[in-house]
Amino acid sequence: MEITILPNRSMTMEENETLMQALVRHRLPVQNICNGKGTCGKCKVRIKGNLVSLPSDLDLKHLNETEIIAGVRLACSVIPEEGMVIELDFLESQDRKEGVLQDMKANSLDPGFEKVHVKISEPTLNDERGDWDRFVDALDSATNRSYNKTSLYALNAISDVLRADAFALTATVTKDEVIDIEAGDTTNRLYGVAVDIGTTSVAVALIDLNQGTVMKVVSAENGQTVYGADVISRITFARESQENTLSLGSAIRRTINHLLEELFAKTDVRNNEIFKMTIVGNTTMHHLFIGLEVAHLAVSPFVSVTNKPLEFTAKELGIEINSQGKVFLLPNIGGFVGADTVGAIVGAPSVLGSGNHLLIDIGTNCELFLKTKHKMMACSTAAGPAFEGAGIIHGMRAKQGAIEGITITENGVNCKVIGGQEPIGICGSGLIEGIDEMRKAGIINKQGKIVDPERAQDLSPELVKRIRMGERGREFVLTYGIDQGFDVTLNQKDIGELQLAKGAVCAGIKTLVEMAGITVPELDSVTLSGTFATYLKPHNILNIGLVPDIPSERIKMVGNAAHVGAIRALLDHHELTMAEELYRKISHVELGGSSTFSNYFMDSMYLERLS
């Protein structure tokens, strides 16, 4: 049996296979937060044409009437039929990773790669040097350096390249190695890419290594999300079989290669003109990308295969840039604290200044770095996917239609929506501001409980009528549905998910600060990193206790510092050296099993300013 996946893909089904199982098997993008158990309601697809299946009990539970009429179904509940036509991504994406880095320009430019144009004397009976020999002699003379490494790839190409343009060619070199040779003068065509492999999404920045400018940034959902929403679920999947491990590696490499194709389509750069790539990501993403064992990361003492900085050729990794191009993976620190944390430090170097500085890289897996006068320490805490909108009944990533900001007055609720359209869900920044606004208005108390509307004498009638009973307990209506046909709400379970996430972050901060022998008031700065963090407001994160109470002027948002660090390492090879020095100096702290963390975690669940 075959079905069609729009716009131009067909998929062969196996007997008794759900649509979700087939999409995962064919490595097609679909949200799979609950691993196909039917509990998350996020694996929405649209069935087109006249073969729309009747809604299942799961569809009726998770979808509204408008969606059902429009042919939207949950992939985990669809039993495909011959000739069925499926649309996977029917929401226009507006990933915020793309806008944060676009105007960045290099502070220093020394990528460690350069192109050298040389004109070489032609052979004669009196000069019978080999083609490679005469080329290397000319290159040594032009650069005052010796190039002793010889690749079979270049040796096979040298004779044809020399004679293609009257013995004039351009060599791409790094250190004492010739990476590639091209006929003629191509010295103005030298490019690199910096990659941020996030648990949820992946961003790739194309950089002109001659000018030091960011040409284009593209991003997409991490292809591994079909196997689980967080690192633990993916490690669990990988441990089941070697085939699963290979599938996870293939998924992320395919995501990166698709983003490279998008860059090539949007610019005049070709894949063979990219000679350097830098990569950051947490330890799990790092290991799965290169196919390393991740089983030991999931059990104490949470040991990685390697934390060292790594270098490979693009050909070795199956990355579709110049096959001889170099791929550099920044070092991990320890446990789940990976190269993304090192990248964030490189990308936000002010945290290494004099005094006590805390860096928080907020995401599904939250990493903390603390620098004091005497030591540098780092830890990770499992915040979970709530900050990305997962596990929230109307949660979604920052796409068109997502509520990203909320103001509540006695007259009602005002929502800021990405794209200015009718809201269809809420993303992480909207969730945090919404819960803070609900707290300030008296709709919820500091324990996170939604008040009984019959006893809410201090609330205006407009706010009282927005509190109602839903399938998951009390809920508060943010917006009433019109065209989409459903209301966007925050319910008691949603608030609990946010409390768990922010409680883990706050408890991690308190634990790390105590272990360093200082107090929270002694912190000179708290820097929040991550694309998500860019859209947070200091007073919101202080009011709900995401960060312990400090003067708001000490809080800084620096955008996606991990990706900035990857770009800086791409532009200046000295930053790679700095990253290697950092990972040797930073002590990793494991919070698992820490009674101090457990005690702080319980206290950090309250929605209030926390000392």
Side-chain angles (χ1 to χ4, degrees):
M1 183 203 317
E2 278 198 355
I3 65 173
T4 298
I5 306 295
L6 295 177
N8 55 10
R9 174 102 181 236
S10 62
M11 185 169 69
T12 303
M13 305 299 302
E14 294 183 352
E15 190 174 355
N16 298 322
E17 189 174 41
T18 67
L19 179 60
M20 168 66 84
Q21 291 166 335
L23 291 171
V24 171
R25 181 169 57 83
H26 285 268
R27 303 184 180 95
L28 290 169
V30 60
Q31 290 202 57
N32 188 21
I33 291 167
C34 66
N35 286 323
K37 295 179 180 138
T39 57
C40 72
K42 303 294 185 184
C43 59
K44 297 178 183 180
V45 299
R46 179 182 287 162
I47 304 174
K48 308 283 282 186
N50 57 4
L51 291 177
V52 180
S53 58
L54 292 173
S56 67
D57 290 341
L58 288 175
D59 294 327
L60 294 172
K61 178 180 179 181
H62 292 289
L63 304 177
N64 62 69
E65 183 179 353
T66 301
E67 288 177 310
I68 289 172
I69 293 172
V72 176
R73 299 289 185 270
L74 299 182
C76 63
S77 69
V78 173
I79 303 300
E81 300 179 42
E82 178 72 44
M84 190 175 272
V85 178
I86 304 293
E87 188 177 11
L88 294 181
D89 191 4
F90 48 88
L91 288 178
E92 184 180 351
S93 176
Q94 181 170 315
D95 198 303
R96 290 160 154 179
K97 287 182 182 288
E98 298 178 18
V100 174
L101 303 170
Q102 196 65 59
D103 297 324
M104 180 180 171
K105 186 170 174 63
N107 293 321
S108 60
L109 184 58
D110 188 4
F113 286 66
E114 65 176 317
K115 282 193 168 187
V116 182
H117 180 242
V118 290
K119 184 74 171 69
I120 302 166
S121 61
E122 297 188 23
T124 67
L125 291 175
N126 294 322
D127 181 3
E128 297 181 291
R129 286 176 297 165
D131 287 337
W132 181 261
D133 306 338
R134 72 177 54 252
F135 155 65
V136 170
D137 288 344
L139 184 62
D140 290 352
S141 177
T143 61
N144 292 316
R145 294 197 300 268
S146 296
Y147 296 90
N148 300 315
K149 291 185 179 179
T150 305
S151 72
L152 186 59
Y153 170 84
L155 281 175
N156 279 324
I158 185 65
S159 295
D160 288 340
V161 170
L162 277 178
R163 289 163 178 80
D165 192 14
F167 283 76
L169 61 75
T170 299
T172 304
V173 299
T174 179
K175 300 177 183 175
D176 61 347
E177 183 179 358
V178 177
I179 300 296
D180 197 11
I181 49 176
E182 303 164 275
D185 184 355
T186 64
T187 51
N188 65 333
R189 309 287 296 180
L190 180 63
Y191 303 98
V193 286
V195 182
D196 175 19
I197 304 177
T199 307
T200 303
S201 58
V202 180
V204 179
L206 175 64
I207 315 294
D208 185 327
L209 295 181
N210 283 322
Q211 302 298 321
T213 53
V214 177
M215 298 177 63
K216 190 73 179 174
V217 183
V218 294
S219 62
E221 187 170 272
N222 187 329
Q224 294 177 345
T225 56
V226 298
Y227 304 107
D230 52 39
V231 295
I232 297 301
S233 60
R234 292 183 209 171
I235 290 173
T236 301
F237 180 76
R239 292 175 69 183
E240 293 175 358
S241 69
Q242 181 61 27
E243 182 182 352
N244 286 1
T245 301
L246 294 174
S247 294
L248 286 162
S250 296
I252 185 56
R253 289 192 293 274
R254 190 165 54 250
T255 300
I256 293 172
N257 284 333
H258 285 168
L259 289 171
L260 289 170
E261 288 177 9
E262 186 177 345
L263 285 173
F264 304 147
K266 292 180 176 179
T267 66
D268 66 345
V269 177
R270 301 185 301 275
N271 70 319
N272 64 348
E273 296 178 312
I274 297 175
F275 293 94
K276 183 180 180 183
M277 174 183 280
T278 53
I279 296 180
V280 295
N282 65 50
T283 312
T284 307
M285 297 302 101
H286 169 283
H287 277 32
L288 291 174
F289 170 66
I290 55 180
L292 299 182
E293 176 65 67
V294 293
H296 301 294
L297 279 172
V299 294
S300 183
F302 312 105
V303 177
S304 65
V305 174
T306 181
N307 292 327
K308 291 179 176 293
L310 300 174
E311 175 185 334
F312 301 98
T313 65
K315 185 176 182 180
E316 287 178 284
L317 295 175
I319 296 299
E320 295 171 1
I321 60 173
N322 188 292
S323 63
Q324 304 305 302
K326 302 292 187 181
V327 179
F328 298 91
L329 286 88
L330 273 65
N332 302 309
I333 294 173
F336 289 103
V337 185
D340 50 351
T341 302
V342 176
I345 299 167
V346 173
S350 63
V351 299
L352 298 174
S354 61
N356 303 317
H357 302 283
L358 177 68
L359 173 69
I360 310 170
D361 193 9
I362 296 185
T364 305
N365 191 55
C366 180
E367 290 90 16
L368 309 173
F369 165 76
L370 177 62
K371 181 265 172 192
T372 71
K373 298 174 183 177
H374 308 291
K375 61 183 69 176
M376 291 190 288
M377 307 167 67
C379 68
S380 66
T381 180
F387 292 142
E388 302 280 357
I392 308 301
I393 186 67
H394 289 123
M396 60 185 292
R397 289 181 61 208
K399 295 183 176 183
Q400 299 277 358
I403 296 172
E404 61 173 343
I406 294 172
T407 303
I408 297 177
T409 68
E410 62 180 15
N411 297 320
V413 182
N414 181 49
C415 294
K416 180 182 178 183
V417 183
I418 297 176
Q421 63 189 64
E422 185 188 352
I424 57 174
I426 185 168
C427 64
S429 59
L431 176 67
I432 286 176
E433 185 164 42
I435 288 178
D436 183 29
E437 288 285 302
M438 290 168 68
R439 181 199 61 81
K440 288 190 292 185
I443 298 162
I444 57 177
N445 58 24
K446 71 176 185 179
Q447 285 84 18
K449 185 177 180 180
I450 300 175
V451 300
D452 183 344
E454 295 183 2
R455 299 180 180 178
Q457 293 88 355
D458 295 333
L459 292 182
S460 69
E462 172 59 30
L463 297 182
V464 168
K465 77 176 185 180
R466 289 174 178 261
I467 302 173
R468 66 191 187 192
M469 289 300 296
E471 291 183 5
R472 302 188 182 190
R474 281 200 189 109
E475 61 186 21
F476 180 73
V477 180
L478 298 174
T479 63
Y480 294 103
I482 302 173
D483 296 336
Q484 295 293 334
F486 68 93
D487 305 334
V488 178
T489 65
L490 285 176
N491 63 35
Q492 196 64 68
K493 183 176 181 297
D494 296 335
I495 296 166
E497 291 292 331
L498 187 277
Q499 287 177 279
L500 289 171
K502 76 94 184 175
V505 175
C506 188
I509 294 170
K510 291 181 177 180
T511 305
L512 195 62
V513 165
E514 182 175 308
M515 295 180 72
I518 64 172
T519 62
V520 169
E522 291 179 277
L523 290 172
D524 295 299
S525 73
V526 174
T527 300
L528 275 73
S529 165
T531 306
F532 161 66
T534 307
Y535 296 87
L536 300 181
K537 299 170 183 175
H539 68 272
N540 291 145
I541 64 176
L542 288 169
N543 288 342
I544 68 168
L546 174 63
V547 172
D549 197 16
I550 64 169
S552 60
E553 61 268 19
R554 296 186 195 176
I555 297 178
K556 297 186 287 186
M557 277 66 167
V558 294
N560 191 357
H563 203 180
V564 172
I567 294 173
R568 288 172 68 103
L570 187 76
L571 291 167
D572 188 346
H573 70 96
H574 296 100
E575 301 285 2
L576 279 173
T577 303
M578 174 187 169
E580 183 169 355
E581 292 172 354
L582 279 171
Y583 106 94
R584 296 182 188 279
K585 294 177 181 178
I586 299 171
S587 300
H588 174 247
V589 175
E590 180 52 55
L591 297 183
S594 167
S595 58
T596 303
F597 174 79
S598 298
N599 292 335
Y600 278 136
F601 179 68
M602 296 306 296
D603 293 337
S604 298
M605 294 283 284
Y606 291 110
L607 295 171
E608 62 180 355
R609 289 193 173 228
L610 299 169
S611 58

